[in-house]
Amino acid sequence: PLGVTNFYNATTSKITPQNVGDAYVVNVRFKAKTNTNNDFLTLFIDIGAGTQINAEAKPFLKGTNTEQPFSFTLPVFSMTTFLANGGLIKVQSNAGILSIYDVTFFITRTYANN
């Protein structure tokens, strides 16, 4: 959109909001496997200063070492900490070791506070 250079910095792997008060929808898609039965993963955005936003957990339904597609759609608002630090998307396992690949980000600004 007008006035936006980019929403993502590939060098730092961070989402880069433009203004305090902007709203975004961040869609993250990937394939993953776990080496443990009954595992689940949690995806969240780390905006620094010990702050995690929009955590969402999903189970592995297909069992150990079986590829499964995941899709997360996260509404995000950029306040001062997010603007200053950017946002690093992180994925954590409940119990196992994850293999994650074919990652796609689609970031849309839904409100501009100009």
Side-chain angles (χ1 to χ4, degrees):
L2 294 175
V4 175
T5 55
N6 61 41
F7 291 139
Y8 185 77
N9 182 325
T11 303
T12 62
S13 300
K14 290 185 178 183
I15 299 169
T16 54
Q18 297 294 305
N19 304 300
V20 169
D22 284 359
Y24 300 88
V25 173
V26 177
N27 183 269
V28 183
R29 296 179 207 171
F30 55 88
K31 296 176 184 172
K33 294 190 264 188
T34 182
N35 70 339
T36 305
N37 280 326
N38 301 316
D39 199 4
F40 64 89
L41 58 79
T42 303
L43 182 138
F44 59 90
I45 301 173
D46 181 341
I47 61 169
T51 305
Q52 299 175 356
I53 59 173
N54 295 62
E56 185 176 342
K58 292 190 179 186
F60 279 91
L61 301 175
K62 296 185 177 184
T64 304
N65 293 318
T66 304
E67 180 182 283
Q68 181 173 329
F70 287 91
S71 180
F72 292 83
T73 301
L74 309 171
V76 179
F77 298 94
S78 64
M79 300 311 284
T80 55
T81 302
F82 190 14
L83 187 66
N85 300 322
L88 185 60
I89 295 174
K90 293 186 176 182
V91 180
Q92 293 179 334
S93 169
N94 175 52
I97 297 171
L98 300 177
S99 296
I100 299 172
Y101 43 93
D102 293 341
V103 180
T104 305
F105 297 111
F106 187 77
I107 303 168
T108 306
R109 183 167 70 169
T110 57
Y111 176 79
N113 187 29
N114 293 339

